[in-house]
């Protein structure tokens, strides 16, 4: 199901058919460095990850991470979406792109569309984001999107220090 379109991209609900792409994305060195190992190495593990992550989020919340495809050839290039985590008081935005598709403005374009969708369609006025302290590129992208750095916080399960950003619009 297509959620939104931008000039160059379409964002869709992920499906179990996206398991091969997710194995590749979740094992990209940048994903492992900045997001973390999800222990998804096989197609069966990817299907389990999809079923209990994005697909569950769509059912329970009406939103989640979306598959980002290039309009020109329908190629999947990454994910971008909204997530609700118990540790944050409002949803957060997350994104990840394959190496060949970084540095081309796709993350900015997908995230702008996702934020607009979250605000106009889902009624989200506050959205959070977080990065590892050494992920300067994501921090700069968040600032371009209008997020402001709030504080360093520690992820409850791991005590990992993370940079928390916030974006708020008026109702």
């Amino acid at each position: 199901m297509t959620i939104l379109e931008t000039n160059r991209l379409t964002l869709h609900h992920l499906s179990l058919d996206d398991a091969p792409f997710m194995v590749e994305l979740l094992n990209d060195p940048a994903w492992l460095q900045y997001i973390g190992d999800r222990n998804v190495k096989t197609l069966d593990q990817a299907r389990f990850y999809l079923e209990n992550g994005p697909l569950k989020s769509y059912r329970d919340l009406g939103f989640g991470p979306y598959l980002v495809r290039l309009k020109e050839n329908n190629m999947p290039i990454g994910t971008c979406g909204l997530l609700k985590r118990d540790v944050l008081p409002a949803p957060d935005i997350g994104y990840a792109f394959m190496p060949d598709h970084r540095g081309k403005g796709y993350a900015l374009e997908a995230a702008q569309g996702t934020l607009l969708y979250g605000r106009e369609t889902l009624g989200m006025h506050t959205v959070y984001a977080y990065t590892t302290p050494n992920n300067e590129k994501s921090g700069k992208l968040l600032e371009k999107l209008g997020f402001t750095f709030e504080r360093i916080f520690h992820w409850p399960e791991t005590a990992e220090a993370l940079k928390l950003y916030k974006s708020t619009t008026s109702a």
Side-chain angles (χ1 to χ4, degrees):
M1 176 163 105
T2 301
I3 297 301
L4 65 101
E5 290 188 26
T6 67
N7 287 340
R8 302 178 293 167
L9 308 170
T10 57
L11 280 74
H12 309 266
H13 275 193
L14 286 153
S15 74
L16 295 179
D17 293 338
D18 298 312
F21 176 75
M22 292 307 293
V23 169
E24 189 177 358
L25 182 65
L26 271 61
N27 288 288
D28 173 62
W31 179 291
L32 296 171
Q33 178 182 0
Y34 296 121
I35 300 172
D37 191 348
R38 298 295 187 258
N39 198 28
V40 173
K41 311 297 183 207
T42 67
L43 291 177
D44 284 341
Q45 289 170 333
R47 285 187 279 270
F48 182 84
Y49 172 88
L50 288 162
E51 183 60 47
N52 294 285
L55 302 181
K56 183 178 185 320
S57 183
Y58 305 150
R59 284 190 306 271
D60 295 351
L61 303 172
F63 60 88
Y66 305 116
L67 180 67
V68 180
R69 292 181 178 274
L70 291 175
K71 274 186 177 178
E72 68 183 47
N73 58 13
N74 212 32
M75 175 190 292
I77 63 169
T79 59
C80 182
L82 298 158
L83 304 130
K84 181 60 187 106
R85 302 173 207 273
D86 293 339
V87 301
L88 297 174
D92 68 281
I93 190 168
Y95 44 83
F97 288 81
M98 294 302 295
D100 289 348
H101 303 293
R102 294 183 198 136
K104 297 178 179 176
Y106 295 133
L108 178 64
E109 189 174 326
Q112 285 171 328
T114 298
L115 286 171
L116 190 64
Y117 173 76
R119 290 187 170 121
E120 292 185 354
T121 304
L122 302 175
M124 296 176 182
H125 299 290
T126 299
V127 177
Y128 286 90
Y130 61 89
T131 68
T132 56
N134 62 341
N135 192 344
E136 294 176 16
K137 287 183 179 179
S138 263
K140 287 179 182 176
L141 175 63
L142 291 170
E143 290 169 2
K144 279 185 186 177
L145 291 165
F147 283 80
T148 55
F149 173 74
E150 283 242 309
R151 62 185 166 85
I152 297 290
F153 84 107
H154 293 84
W155 196 258
E157 292 89 20
T158 63
E160 178 183 17
L162 299 166
K163 292 172 81 172
L164 183 65
Y165 295 82
K166 183 179 179 181
S167 175
T168 305
T169 58
S170 56

